[in-house]
Amino acid sequence: MSYQYQENLALDAQQRYSVKLKLIGLDICPYKVPADTWINDPKQWPVFEYQEVFHYLIKHPRTHFFVSGWIQTVFHMKTDSGHYVLKADVKPSWRVTEEPHHPWVALKKSGPVIAAHCNCMAGLGETCSHIGALLFKIEAAVRRVYIKHLYRPPM
Ligand SMILES: [Zn+2]
């Protein structure tokens, strides 16, 4: 992933990107955050439910939406303003040799999506299939963690 992602965007896309980062309280682009900052632990994620996926994708129908691709491990980090940024690589499902896409989403602690981004369409991808796939994976993982927590077998 290019560390100069933001700098290489067209000017209007760059401005839109800056607005998103400001919205979630990040000073630097998530693509620049060092690998050891990201945590792999679904138990720490916000309670993210199906309705939030639906709300985000229906409220922001910027592109045709469908879930595709193979999603890899989801990592998260917490911003100084208390929001959560989650990211994963999504491999194109039909060609193994193709470069993975890099969606990230920012959630409030209570669940709603504040912002999302993907590098698949020159900075304009805000509800592409990769973001959709990431949101559905987060929702499913949170549901599993939540159910496990509620129905812990007696010791
Ligand atoms: Zn995408």
Side-chain angles (χ1 to χ4, degrees):
M1 187 68 223
S2 164
Y3 286 116
Q4 298 302 311
Y5 174 77
Q6 189 175 6
E7 291 78 359
N8 292 336
L9 291 173
L11 205 61
D12 56 340
Q14 221 176 93
Q15 279 162 357
R16 170 70 192 136
Y17 199 75
S18 298
V19 168
K20 271 196 273 194
L21 296 186
K22 213 168 175 184
L23 203 62
I24 63 177
L26 266 185
D27 293 331
I28 61 165
C29 167
Y31 296 138
K32 283 186 180 175
V33 173
D36 60 4
T37 306
W38 297 93
I39 302 159
N40 177 9
D41 184 7
K43 290 191 291 299
Q44 295 181 37
W45 297 353
V47 180
F48 187 66
E49 295 174 322
Y50 181 81
Q51 67 195 41
E52 306 292 355
V53 182
F54 188 78
H55 181 78
Y56 181 76
L57 295 175
I58 299 306
K59 206 183 162 200
H60 303 271
R62 285 169 207 267
T63 61
H64 177 66
F65 168 74
F66 61 96
V67 175
S68 73
W70 293 334
I71 190 145
Q72 312 295 304
T73 305
V74 180
F75 295 94
H76 85 275
M77 58 172 275
K78 213 172 158 184
T79 70
D80 291 341
S81 49
H83 301 318
Y84 290 76
V85 182
L86 297 96
K87 67 159 189 176
D89 291 350
V90 180
K91 285 185 183 165
S93 49
W94 63 99
R95 258 180 258 159
V96 185
T97 52
E98 219 165 275
E99 273 290 291
H101 299 297
H102 304 282
W104 60 259
V105 302
L107 308 180
K108 285 186 184 174
K109 198 175 163 48
S110 54
V113 179
I114 310 166
H117 195 84
C118 185
N119 68 327
C120 66
M121 289 185 297
L124 301 173
E126 297 190 27
T127 55
C128 65
S129 60
H130 314 114
I131 289 172
L134 176 56
L135 291 175
F136 280 118
K137 177 149 181 177
I138 295 167
E139 187 273 334
V142 166
R143 188 155 23 92
R144 268 198 306 276
V145 167
Y146 194 58
I147 287 169
K148 230 190 270 173
H149 191 71
L150 283 178
Y151 298 102
R152 201 176 294 159
M155 299 295 277

mmCIF file of all heavy atoms in Angstrom, residues 13 21 30 34-35 62 77 85 89 133:
data_model
loop_
_atom_site.group_PDB
_atom_site.id
_atom_site.type_symbol
_atom_site.label_atom_id
_atom_site.label_comp_id
_atom_site.label_asym_id
_atom_site.label_seq_id
_atom_site.Cartn_x
_atom_site.Cartn_y
_atom_site.Cartn_z
ATOM 1 N N ALA A 13 -10.832 14.826 -4.584
ATOM 2 C CA ALA A 13 -10.849 13.589 -3.800
ATOM 3 C C ALA A 13 -10.009 13.749 -2.535
ATOM 4 O O ALA A 13 -10.348 13.238 -1.473
ATOM 5 C CB ALA A 13 -10.327 12.430 -4.639
ATOM 6 N N LEU A 21 -11.120 12.318 7.475
ATOM 7 C CA LEU A 21 -10.139 12.112 8.541
ATOM 8 C C LEU A 21 -10.422 13.041 9.717
ATOM 9 O O LEU A 21 -10.313 12.655 10.877
ATOM 10 C CB LEU A 21 -8.714 12.330 8.017
ATOM 11 C CG LEU A 21 -8.233 11.343 6.942
ATOM 12 C CD1 LEU A 21 -6.760 11.580 6.630
ATOM 13 C CD2 LEU A 21 -8.459 9.901 7.351
ATOM 14 N N PRO A 30 -5.076 6.522 7.566
ATOM 15 C CA PRO A 30 -4.918 5.156 8.091
ATOM 16 C C PRO A 30 -3.913 4.313 7.303
ATOM 17 O O PRO A 30 -3.290 3.420 7.861
ATOM 18 C CB PRO A 30 -6.327 4.561 7.945
ATOM 19 C CG PRO A 30 -7.228 5.735 8.008
ATOM 20 C CD PRO A 30 -6.482 6.862 7.337
ATOM 21 N N PRO A 34 1.455 2.903 11.274
ATOM 22 C CA PRO A 34 2.345 1.738 11.281
ATOM 23 C C PRO A 34 1.615 0.443 11.647
ATOM 24 O O PRO A 34 0.650 0.466 12.418
ATOM 25 C CB PRO A 34 3.372 2.084 12.374
ATOM 26 C CG PRO A 34 3.255 3.540 12.598
ATOM 27 C CD PRO A 34 1.866 3.941 12.215
ATOM 28 N N ALA A 35 2.079 -0.660 11.103
ATOM 29 C CA ALA A 35 1.418 -1.958 11.269
ATOM 30 C C ALA A 35 1.268 -2.348 12.739
ATOM 31 O O ALA A 35 0.266 -2.954 13.122
ATOM 32 C CB ALA A 35 2.196 -3.024 10.518
ATOM 33 N N ARG A 62 -23.660 5.776 -3.077
ATOM 34 C CA ARG A 62 -22.862 6.469 -4.083
ATOM 35 C C ARG A 62 -22.499 5.580 -5.261
ATOM 36 O O ARG A 62 -22.224 6.050 -6.342
ATOM 37 C CB ARG A 62 -21.575 6.995 -3.452
ATOM 38 C CG ARG A 62 -21.810 8.220 -2.600
ATOM 39 C CD ARG A 62 -20.560 8.522 -1.801
ATOM 40 N NE ARG A 62 -20.891 9.226 -0.588
ATOM 41 C CZ ARG A 62 -20.906 10.552 -0.473
ATOM 42 N NH1 ARG A 62 -20.590 11.305 -1.479
ATOM 43 N NH2 ARG A 62 -21.231 11.108 0.662
ATOM 44 N N MET A 77 -7.835 0.103 15.291
ATOM 45 C CA MET A 77 -7.116 1.017 16.176
ATOM 46 C C MET A 77 -8.114 2.043 16.680
ATOM 47 O O MET A 77 -9.154 2.278 16.072
ATOM 48 C CB MET A 77 -5.968 1.718 15.444
ATOM 49 C CG MET A 77 -6.412 2.509 14.237
ATOM 50 S SD MET A 77 -5.091 3.503 13.515
ATOM 51 C CE MET A 77 -5.198 4.970 14.518
ATOM 52 N N VAL A 85 -11.204 2.750 14.102
ATOM 53 C CA VAL A 85 -10.951 2.556 12.679
ATOM 54 C C VAL A 85 -10.624 1.080 12.483
ATOM 55 O O VAL A 85 -9.768 0.527 13.178
ATOM 56 C CB VAL A 85 -9.786 3.433 12.182
ATOM 57 C CG1 VAL A 85 -9.584 3.243 10.688
ATOM 58 C CG2 VAL A 85 -10.052 4.908 12.493
ATOM 59 N N ASP A 89 -7.672 -6.247 4.241
ATOM 60 C CA ASP A 89 -7.416 -6.372 2.809
ATOM 61 C C ASP A 89 -8.511 -7.232 2.200
ATOM 62 O O ASP A 89 -8.960 -8.189 2.816
ATOM 63 C CB ASP A 89 -6.066 -7.056 2.563
ATOM 64 C CG ASP A 89 -4.901 -6.157 2.972
ATOM 65 O OD1 ASP A 89 -5.142 -4.970 3.255
ATOM 66 O OD2 ASP A 89 -3.770 -6.657 2.990
ATOM 67 N N ALA A 133 -18.238 -5.610 2.225
ATOM 68 C CA ALA A 133 -17.750 -6.892 2.725
ATOM 69 C C ALA A 133 -17.129 -6.729 4.115
ATOM 70 O O ALA A 133 -17.347 -7.556 5.007
ATOM 71 C CB ALA A 133 -16.726 -7.469 1.754
#
